[in-house]
Amino acid sequence: MTVAVMSNVDLGAQIDPQKHELNVSRLVAVVLLLFNGVPEGVTLGYEAIAQETGLPPEHLKRALQSCGKYKILIKEPKSRIIADTDTFTFNRGFSEKMLQIKIQTVASKVENVVEQKDTQQRVEEARKHMAEAAIVRVMKSRKTLERNELIAEVITQLQIRFSPSPAMIKKRIDALIEREYLERVSHDR
């Protein structure tokens, strides 16, 4: 099952004595609506919430964690980590000065080592192409240029997007020379 959290929902919540408008993601709205009409003091366990909503565990845990900042749901035992044995109670004593509250969804888990390496490789590849394009642009406009001047000008152009290292630019210059997009002056090494 694929779950996309692309939109937000505005929920009207009458929490004695005030009425609040909660702007939440669809997943958080599904979880909060489970507590609609539940008698005061009744708790719902994580397993019961999971069974009622049918949400995948990673999305359900994120939705439940999102309710923690404003303490709309009270979790037992108190901790940030959501376990299968946790219970949740709607906070009837909820009070907030603002009538409109935007509840942000907690960010998804951090990339694992393999995903980080893959992302890093894609970023490096994109930066190589940007560096080569900048080198070619500079050389087309200047025709001839000393290596250090070329490196300095390319760094200046690329600093808007990222901070390139001179070593990386030197490698890209060498790669362009190898592929015959650039050539060295014959009397100067």
Side-chain angles (χ1 to χ4, degrees), residues 166-177:
M168 187 266 268
I169 294 172
K170 287 178 184 178
K171 285 181 186 175
R172 295 295 93 218
I173 292 171
D174 292 339
L176 287 169
I177 290 171

Side-chain angles (χ1 to χ4, degrees), residues 152-163:
E153 196 158 331
V154 170
I155 287 174
T156 303
Q157 279 191 14
L158 292 177
Q159 278 182 332
I160 295 168
R161 297 184 181 263
F162 66 97
S163 296

Side-chain angles (χ1 to χ4, degrees), residues 8-156:
N8 284 344
V9 176
D10 289 327
L11 295 176
Q14 179 69 39
I15 306 169
D16 296 327
Q18 271 188 320
K19 184 173 184 173
H20 295 280
E21 187 173 300
L22 307 176
N23 182 275
V24 296
S25 73
R26 291 186 304 178
L27 299 178
V28 174
V30 167
V31 171
L32 289 177
L33 287 173
L34 282 178
F35 290 90
N36 192 22
V38 172
E40 189 172 340
V42 173
T43 62
L44 295 176
Y46 173 82
E47 293 294 331
I49 294 171
Q51 187 174 8
E52 283 292 317
T53 60
L55 294 174
E58 63 273 5
H59 293 299
L60 179 58
K61 287 180 181 182
R62 284 178 48 211
L64 289 168
Q65 286 174 336
S66 299
C67 296
K69 179 182 178 187
Y70 286 101
K71 304 280 190 258
I72 293 173
L73 297 180
I74 299 172
K75 177 184 164 307
E76 286 296 327
K78 292 183 185 342
S79 70
R80 288 182 160 233
I81 298 166
I82 308 288
D84 294 349
T85 56
D86 292 347
T87 59
F88 298 87
T89 309
F90 186 75
N91 184 5
R92 303 272 180 210
F94 174 79
S95 65
E96 179 65 39
K97 289 183 225 172
M98 298 185 303
L99 297 178
Q100 292 182 331
I101 303 168
K102 182 171 179 79
I103 299 175
Q104 299 287 339
T105 304
V106 174
S108 62
K109 70 173 189 149
V110 180
E111 292 180 322
N112 62 30
V113 177
V114 175
E115 290 171 332
Q116 284 177 343
K117 285 182 181 179
D118 183 44
T119 302
Q120 188 63 31
Q121 285 175 343
R122 282 189 271 128
V123 168
E124 295 285 327
E125 191 66 29
R127 287 181 176 179
K128 284 180 188 178
H129 294 302
M130 282 190 265
E132 288 181 358
I135 292 165
V136 170
R137 268 195 313 272
V138 169
M139 289 309 293
K140 275 188 170 184
S141 67
R142 295 289 190 90
K143 304 296 180 208
T144 59
L145 204 58
E146 297 237 351
R147 188 180 188 106
N148 289 340
E149 291 173 9
L150 174 60
I151 292 170
E153 196 158 331
V154 170
I155 287 174
T156 303

